[in-house]
Amino acid sequence: MSIVIVGGNERMVCQYETICKCHGCKAKVFAKEKGALKKKLGCPDLMILFTNTVSHKMVVSALQEAKKNQIPVARVHTSSAAALHNVLEEYAGKE
């Protein structure tokens, strides 16, 4: 299962990737917008938005791409490791 994480803390990017790997998922993490997000997203199985730590501009562009490519989106208010574990248990458990 491939996952794109939009938002979160820059210092936790490695931890997010490790958590995803433990759940059998490959992850791309975009904590900050560096260039066009549209070109970098690809077509993941799930997009996770950490809404508390992401700019409105990034949310809008990520949601446009998700809608265009029919990617399911999980919105999580906090960007903690526990919140990511909960989302991955919910979605990765469905496979």
Side-chain angles (χ1 to χ4, degrees), residues 19-93:
I19 291 168
C20 289
K21 200 177 286 186
C22 290
H23 286 274
C25 304
K26 290 176 74 177
K28 286 184 186 176
V29 182
F30 300 100
K32 278 190 168 181
E33 188 168 11
K34 297 174 184 162
L37 188 64
K38 296 176 188 180
K39 296 177 184 175
K40 299 176 186 176
L41 283 180
C43 195
D45 298 319
L46 174 66
M47 181 183 295
I48 300 173
L49 283 176
F50 288 135
T51 57
N52 194 27
T53 55
V54 69
S55 69
H56 183 71
K57 180 181 172 187
M58 252 179 108
V59 169
V60 169
S61 66
L63 288 177
Q64 284 176 347
E65 284 300 304
K67 186 175 181 180
K68 186 170 78 173
N69 296 325
Q70 299 175 346
I71 301 167
V73 178
R75 293 180 184 224
V76 184
H77 184 68
T78 63
S79 56
S80 65
L84 182 58
H85 274 294
N86 292 339
V87 170
L88 290 176
E89 285 174 9
E90 181 181 336
Y91 283 92

Side-chain angles (χ1 to χ4, degrees), residues 3-18:
I3 294 176
V4 168
I5 299 174
V6 180
N9 297 317
E10 286 183 84
R11 295 180 182 184
M12 289 186 63
V13 169
C14 291
Q15 192 173 357
Y16 294 149
E17 291 170 350
T18 304

